[in-house]
Amino acid sequence: MSATNSDEPPYASESKAMESAVVGAEVVDSDTTAVAPTAIPLLAPADGVPTVVDTPEAVAVAARMLAGGHGPLAVDAERASGFRYSQRAYLLQFRRRGAGTVLLDPIPVAAALGPLAEVINPLEWVLHSADQDLPGLAELGLEPATLYDTELAGRLAGFERVGLGPIVERTLGLSLQKGHGAADWSTRPLPDTWLNYAALDVEVLLELRDAMAAELESQGKTAWAAQEFAHILSLGPPKPKADRWRRTSGIHAVKSSRVLASIRELWQARDELAQRRDIAPSRVLPDSAIVAAASADPKTEGELRALPVFGGPRQRRSTSMWLSALERARRLPTTELPPKSAPFDGPPPVNRWARRDPEAAERLATARTAMTELSESVSVPVENLLLPDVLRRLVWDWRSVAAADAPAIIEATLSEGRARPWQLELTVSVLAKALTPTQVTDE
């Protein structure tokens, strides 16, 4: 990429060239009541689609190129969710002012990314919905020193639509190409149209970061955003969730512990096979087939293959594996059957509060109302003011205290739930007022 004037974004000349071809229609931005001209379509990167980096030598060249740039680094990653078991990245996109765009295939060069990490890890990375991509990048040894998440910035700014396309359209007046985000990015070779799409995902990310920083600064929320970005980096890789088999679609209708045991065994057999083959579990066997087989409890190959899906040529090869899973469930003693409801750490599901503790249900309704009012006053979604689970735990465990003691107790509980300072500053007094009845006074 040729160096560009930092006062004029790299897409400026292209955008101007397109203006004459744009139909003068009008669209309504859902975040405002104003009617704005149709956004200018961004159809191709200003400097074209770069050649994909897929050799150690090319990695070293790309690292030197990015090192010669300046400022933050725009980063994106494409996975093959829905196609592969793993969440690994199958294409990485980078862009830096004064350097240009890099498209990198990490699969053949995963062991040769040291020079790249040395250059980009000390930088500020700009991502959109960073929590989606950071784990896969960390697996490759790529981790930012600091972070700017434009999706989260949009939430803090009070934007109703914070997808990359809508937020770019609102702030920069450009419309991005759609169509390949859910593609199978493990496909090789990657089609040219996909690479064009991937390059566009970082084409304007740095300009978007600047626009969002200015927006947050005007709202007095710059410090809030900084705390949120630091918090994301502090979380590390996501922890495996317990009892993932309970997320099987259709399981809510199952009332028998024995059938639940069959679902669990079939789910685990499917998961092991999917992991071994690196195929998305739903492509090995759909959830509906698992629930159907667990409910019917077939004992023979013929009975199993008579069920939907299991009679197909791909499933016939795995018949013995599915029957073995069902047999293991049948042999389980009653004491080892899974409970009908998922074990939980903390409060019960909210829909049971009114029956189990009517006062807690009333407290939660009051607290939620107070949080909604606060959300509207600062133009930040309720879930970004405070994690819903943290609020539920606070309310469920709450015991009447003197009004003067409530703020300290609330602050300690929220801090234990990793609430950030800006959240504590906003929510503690609001929740103290909501949870402390007026009739409770200091004695």
Side-chain angles (χ1 to χ4, degrees), residues 10 17 36 80 89 142 185 218 222 242 275 280 317 345 357 359 364 381 384 392 405 441:
L142 306 177
W185 287 88
S218 71
T222 300
Q275 186 173 16
R317 296 194 299 268
D345 171 26
D357 190 338
E359 291 184 359
L364 183 61
N384 291 106
R392 287 192 294 267
D405 297 330
T441 59

Side-chain angles (χ1 to χ4, degrees), residues 156 216-217 220-229 420-422 425:
L156 295 176
L216 292 176
E217 180 66 25
K221 297 175 179 176
T222 300
W224 300 3
Q227 292 174 33
E228 288 301 289
F229 302 154
R420 274 68 77 194
W422 75 271
E425 182 179 353

Side-chain angles (χ1 to χ4, degrees), residues 151-160 162 216 219-222 224-225 228 368 370-387 420 422-423 426-427:
E151 191 263 357
L152 181 50
R155 292 182 181 276
L156 295 176
F159 291 5
E160 293 180 13
V162 294
L216 292 176
Q219 296 187 25
K221 297 175 179 176
T222 300
W224 300 3
E228 288 301 289
R368 281 177 163 177
M371 290 294 292
T372 298
E373 293 173 353
L374 175 61
S375 168
E376 293 172 352
S377 71
V378 298
S379 297
V380 174
V382 171
E383 63 270 21
N384 291 106
L385 287 174
L386 194 64
L387 286 176
R420 274 68 77 194
W422 75 271
Q423 294 174 322
L426 289 175
T427 62

Side-chain angles (χ1 to χ4, degrees), residues 100-178:
T101 296
V102 171
L103 300 182
L104 186 148
D105 180 353
I107 304 304
V109 296
L113 295 179
L116 180 68
E118 185 176 348
V119 170
I120 71 173
N121 284 10
L123 302 178
E124 176 193 281
W125 291 10
V126 181
L127 294 97
H128 193 80
S129 194
D131 59 333
Q132 300 294 312
D133 293 333
L134 286 177
L137 290 160
E139 288 180 4
L140 296 168
L142 306 177
E143 299 178 276
T146 57
L147 173 70
Y148 200 100
D149 186 332
T150 51
E151 191 263 357
L152 181 50
R155 292 182 181 276
L156 295 176
F159 291 5
E160 293 180 13
R161 301 174 64 209
V162 294
L164 183 59
I167 206 170
V168 165
E169 184 170 332
R170 171 170 176 162
T171 58
L172 302 179
L174 300 168
S175 64
L176 292 176
Q177 187 184 55
K178 299 178 181 179

Side-chain angles (χ1 to χ4, degrees), residues 44-364:
D47 300 316
V49 179
T51 301
V52 176
V53 171
D54 58 4
T55 67
E57 294 77 15
V59 170
V61 172
R64 289 194 297 271
M65 184 177 81
L66 292 174
H70 56 88
L73 178 75
V75 180
D76 192 23
E78 305 296 346
R79 302 183 303 280
S81 302
F83 296 91
R84 297 290 181 177
Y85 182 91
S86 66
Q87 291 300 304
R88 73 177 62 177
Y90 284 93
L91 184 72
L92 306 181
Q93 303 105 283
F94 306 103
R95 184 175 181 83
R96 197 177 186 198
R97 289 189 176 102
T101 296
V102 171
L103 300 182
L104 186 148
D105 180 353
I107 304 304
V109 296
L113 295 179
L116 180 68
E118 185 176 348
V119 170
I120 71 173
N121 284 10
L123 302 178
E124 176 193 281
W125 291 10
V126 181
L127 294 97
H128 193 80
S129 194
D131 59 333
Q132 300 294 312
D133 293 333
L134 286 177
L137 290 160
E139 288 180 4
L140 296 168
L142 306 177
E143 299 178 276
T146 57
L147 173 70
Y148 200 100
D149 186 332
T150 51
E151 191 263 357
L152 181 50
R155 292 182 181 276
L156 295 176
F159 291 5
E160 293 180 13
R161 301 174 64 209
V162 294
L164 183 59
I167 206 170
V168 165
E169 184 170 332
R170 171 170 176 162
T171 58
L172 302 179
L174 300 168
S175 64
L176 292 176
Q177 187 184 55
K178 299 178 181 179
H180 304 300
D184 179 6
W185 287 88
S186 66
T187 300
R188 293 295 182 273
L190 287 166
D192 291 342
T193 55
W194 295 16
L195 296 174
N196 184 79
Y197 166 90
L200 287 176
D201 270 355
V202 291
E203 179 80 0
V204 295
L205 207 50
L206 298 175
E207 286 71 32
L208 177 60
R209 179 239 185 270
D210 292 345
M212 292 311 306
E215 178 69 30
L216 292 176
E217 180 66 25
S218 71
Q219 296 187 25
K221 297 175 179 176
T222 300
W224 300 3
Q227 292 174 33
E228 288 301 289
F229 302 154
H231 174 71
I232 292 174
L233 288 181
S234 73
L235 293 177
K239 297 180 176 60
K241 295 181 179 179
D243 288 342
R244 290 187 296 140
W245 63 272
R246 287 190 180 271
R247 301 179 66 181
T248 304
S249 179
I251 200 173
H252 63 280
V254 176
K255 307 302 180 185
S256 164
S257 293
R258 184 67 64 180
V259 175
L260 288 175
S262 296
I263 290 175
R264 181 177 63 186
E265 292 295 333
L266 288 168
W267 187 96
Q268 290 175 343
R270 180 186 71 173
D271 194 65
E272 291 171 2
L273 180 59
Q275 186 173 16
R276 187 164 63 249
R277 295 181 179 176
D278 194 17
I279 302 172
S282 62
R283 291 180 173 268
V284 173
L285 187 68
D287 283 3
S288 58
I290 288 180
V291 174
S295 301
D297 194 25
K299 311 295 192 300
T300 67
E301 289 187 1
E303 291 175 349
L304 178 65
R305 291 176 178 176
L307 297 175
V309 179
F310 288 97
R314 288 194 303 171
Q315 294 303 331
R316 292 171 72 90
R317 296 194 299 268
S318 303
T319 295
S320 60
M321 181 181 69
W322 306 129
L323 288 174
S324 296
L326 291 167
E327 178 62 24
R328 287 195 298 273
R330 281 193 293 270
R331 290 181 177 179
L332 282 176
T334 304
T335 55
E336 295 182 16
L337 296 178
K340 295 179 182 179
S341 299
F344 53 83
D345 171 26
V350 172
N351 58 8
R352 301 179 189 175
W353 284 33
R355 184 179 70 252
R356 293 188 55 177
D357 190 338
E359 291 184 359
E362 185 176 347
R363 287 196 302 270
L364 183 61

